[in-house]
Amino acid sequence: MSMYDYVIVGAGSAGCVLAARLTEDPETRVALIEAGGPDTAQEVHVPAAFPQLFKSALDWDLDTDPEPGLGGRRAYLPRGKVFGGCSSINAMIYIRGSRADYDGWAAAGAAGWSYDEVLPYFKRAEDNERGEDDFHGVGGPLTVSEGRSGHPLSSAFVRAAQQAGHKANDDFNGQEQFGVGRYQLTQRGGLRCSAAVAYLHPALDRPNLTVLSSTQARRVVIEGGRATGVEVERGGTLEVLRAEREVVLSAGAYESPKLLMLSGIGPAADLTAFGIEVVRDLPVGQGLQDHYMAMLNFRTAAESLISAASPENAALLQSEGRGPLTSNIGEAGGFFRSRPELQAADVQFHAAPVLFHQEGLGPALEHGFSFGPLVLAPTSRGAVTLRSPLPHAAPRIVHNYLVTPEDQACIVAGVRIALEIAAQQAVAELVTEPFEVPASDSDADILAWARRVGQTLYHPTSTCAIGSVVDPELRVYGVPGLRVVDASVFPTVPRGNTNAPTIMAAEKAADLIKGAV
């Protein structure tokens, strides 16, 4: 039995931050468990290559159960199974969300999580090439930079959105979120700056950090009501990693609740049905939220990213850190309101200089481009439940995408905004013909189309939420020695891409664990 101060499950966006921050104290012994392996694949680091990682060995390759709001369709859910987790396979977009998200959490009881209280942790993490100001930091581990691709098709979307009356915004993480523009990215010199690159790699040589790759966590060991370690499977053998201070689950919004339930922490009736002894009856896995997106796709005669993988572009990436291979696919976008009375955005757009269809799995064999909305502040809630008491079994996941009238109205309004942008000169002059668009602009056709072609934007949250499963210091209610630190603790999904908020939460959690706040 190996002994540590802290055992962290998951070397993803949160786990990498925690491992680096906790081992800054040379007396603190940390074990970091990762089911995947090192982030050595070239496709991880070359930004435009990330879709090639879908359904690879670096992907947990999950699926939902039949989704009632999608006509019973199953949705594909890629998740990173590699150092850096999803930050090693994502689109690298640096978005924090809205002030309204964090202030809403605090107002609902998440003490310490208001916007003004979390902003210092965003800034601490950040090394923004624009420099320091009221909203941004420099000198942190995570490099945040301008996109180095600057693809003309992405620029056309931004121009068309302005022609449609939407204002330009050069900083979605600044004073205001509304508007259109290009996204800042977690890139360094044109290559991916994942949580592993930013936090874990600089810490790997520390003697007080033990990283166990290709190691599957099976359950949290609980003795006398307290979490004392993690049972893992490694190389076909079982062992227990003992945590003298705390066990921290950072396995993500699908796997962290699964691990809790396998350990006897969850809805009592569900656990009993699987013959799992109930340690603590908590609504683990309930409250799941995610962002659902529907992309308009158009053919074009202009050059798209399908020609990016040329020797010339590879040389440009290597020598100057720019060019099409630095593209994060979703280069541009914006934030909108579906109804004028809303104070915060409820629709977000992503625009890609390539066809992006069939849940990101469709072949892009011809030149095209895509853009479209997502439901940014969904009212629907789903759940993660056990499918089997076997640790290797994937959980049962239902998001309930588009089941509420509010979410249906939001996606329809978002698609209407997209169709209006598509009609503007900057886009219309580039379109040779539609590739995948609604049959008409009627509400019924738009909604039917969105249900058929839509997909996750890879932002699951809220399955171990503050206030229901963990307290505001991220300690699991009624189980001493156990915390959850990842996007599952968010009370609601933030209004934006979730990687930056996850890194922020881990920065804050490191202080909470150290007793520094």
Side-chain angles (χ1 to χ4, degrees), residues 300-321:
T300 182
E303 189 170 5
S304 71
L305 284 181
I306 65 169
S307 54
S310 68
E312 295 80 9
N313 288 334
L316 193 60
L317 173 64
Q318 290 177 330
S319 63
E320 300 181 35

Side-chain angles (χ1 to χ4, degrees), residues 236-253:
T237 62
L238 299 183
E239 64 175 304
V240 172
L241 307 178
R242 196 160 188 86
E244 291 197 330
R245 297 186 189 178
E246 292 187 18
V247 171
V248 184
L249 300 187
S250 297

Side-chain angles (χ1 to χ4, degrees), residues 255-336:
E255 291 294 318
S256 284
K258 186 185 97 170
L259 271 170
L260 286 176
M261 289 185 281
L262 289 173
S263 309
I265 302 164
D270 294 355
L271 302 184
T272 301
F274 283 110
I276 298 172
E277 183 180 349
V278 178
V279 172
R280 191 76 183 178
D281 183 6
L282 292 172
V284 171
Q286 305 300 302
L288 172 65
Q289 288 197 303
D290 189 18
H291 289 142
Y292 185 81
M293 174 177 75
M295 294 284 269
L296 302 177
N297 278 259
F298 302 96
R299 292 183 173 93
T300 182
E303 189 170 5
S304 71
L305 284 181
I306 65 169
S307 54
S310 68
E312 295 80 9
N313 288 334
L316 193 60
L317 173 64
Q318 290 177 330
S319 63
E320 300 181 35
R322 63 181 182 87
L325 287 174
T326 69
S327 176
N328 70 309
I329 313 297
E331 293 183 6
F335 293 86
F336 311 91

Side-chain angles (χ1 to χ4, degrees), residues 185-208:
L185 310 175
T186 51
Q187 289 186 1
R188 181 181 297 169
L191 299 175
R192 178 187 298 275
C193 184
S194 66
V197 170
Y199 288 90
L200 183 58
H201 288 291
L204 282 176
D205 290 337
R206 294 176 184 167
N208 56 331

Side-chain angles (χ1 to χ4, degrees), residues 7 11 13 25 35 82 139 146 173 180 196 213 258 275 311 314 317 331 337 348 360 367 369 403 441 463 469 485-486:
V7 176
S13 298
D25 177 358
V82 60
E146 310 301 325
N173 300 304
V180 295
S213 62
K258 186 185 97 170
L317 173 64
E331 293 183 6
R337 50 168 70 89
Q348 182 184 1
H367 288 303
F369 61 106
V403 297
D441 65 354
T463 50
V469 175
V485 181
D486 56 32

Side-chain angles (χ1 to χ4, degrees), residues 59-372:
D59 178 9
W60 284 93
D61 190 12
L62 300 174
D63 291 286
T64 70
D65 270 29
E67 286 283 353
L70 306 184
R73 179 165 65 89
R74 294 177 185 266
Y76 164 54
L77 307 172
R79 307 305 293 165
K81 191 177 184 180
V82 60
F83 288 4
C86 292
S87 74
S88 287
I89 72 168
N90 71 356
M92 294 154 280
I93 295 171
Y94 183 81
I95 291 288
R96 297 173 176 174
S98 167
R99 173 183 284 272
D101 297 316
Y102 304 104
D103 288 349
W105 295 358
W113 292 88
S114 71
Y115 179 79
D116 288 338
E117 289 168 303
V118 301
L119 180 59
Y121 291 104
F122 280 116
K123 294 172 71 173
R124 176 200 284 184
E126 189 180 19
D127 187 18
N128 198 306
E129 70 174 15
R130 293 184 182 177
E132 189 172 10
D133 62 22
D134 289 345
F135 295 99
H136 294 288
V138 296
L142 186 69
T143 305
V144 177
S145 66
E146 310 301 325
R148 299 291 198 269
S149 169
H151 201 285
L153 289 170
S154 302
S155 301
F157 163 80
V158 175
R159 290 198 309 275
Q162 291 178 263
Q163 289 169 355
H166 304 288
K167 66 178 182 179
N169 186 346
D170 66 355
D171 186 3
F172 298 122
N173 300 304
Q175 186 69 42
E176 185 171 73
Q177 194 179 45
F178 288 112
V180 295
R182 291 183 172 276
Y183 288 119
Q184 280 203 300
L185 310 175
T186 51
Q187 289 186 1
R188 181 181 297 169
L191 299 175
R192 178 187 298 275
C193 184
S194 66
V197 170
Y199 288 90
L200 183 58
H201 288 291
L204 282 176
D205 290 337
R206 294 176 184 167
N208 56 331
L209 174 62
T210 301
V211 181
L212 302 173
S213 62
S214 302
T215 301
Q216 174 94 32
R218 294 172 54 91
R219 65 183 179 92
V220 179
V221 177
I222 299 171
E223 299 171 326
R226 180 182 179 85
T228 59
V230 179
E231 181 185 84
V232 302
E233 183 177 346
R234 190 172 185 231
T237 62
L238 299 183
E239 64 175 304
V240 172
L241 307 178
R242 196 160 188 86
E244 291 197 330
R245 297 186 189 178
E246 292 187 18
V247 171
V248 184
L249 300 187
S250 297
Y254 302 133
E255 291 294 318
S256 284
K258 186 185 97 170
L259 271 170
L260 286 176
M261 289 185 281
L262 289 173
S263 309
I265 302 164
D270 294 355
L271 302 184
T272 301
F274 283 110
I276 298 172
E277 183 180 349
V278 178
V279 172
R280 191 76 183 178
D281 183 6
L282 292 172
V284 171
Q286 305 300 302
L288 172 65
Q289 288 197 303
D290 189 18
H291 289 142
Y292 185 81
M293 174 177 75
M295 294 284 269
L296 302 177
N297 278 259
F298 302 96
R299 292 183 173 93
T300 182
E303 189 170 5
S304 71
L305 284 181
I306 65 169
S307 54
S310 68
E312 295 80 9
N313 288 334
L316 193 60
L317 173 64
Q318 290 177 330
S319 63
E320 300 181 35
R322 63 181 182 87
L325 287 174
T326 69
S327 176
N328 70 309
I329 313 297
E331 293 183 6
F335 293 86
F336 311 91
R337 50 168 70 89
S338 66
R339 308 189 308 278
E341 68 270 19
L342 294 178
Q343 298 300 304
D346 68 334
V347 174
Q348 182 184 1
F349 267 57
H350 293 78
V354 69
L355 296 176
F356 199 81
H357 62 110
Q358 293 179 9
E359 300 181 289
L361 299 170
L365 302 178
E366 54 187 314
H367 288 303
F369 61 106
S370 53
F371 56 85

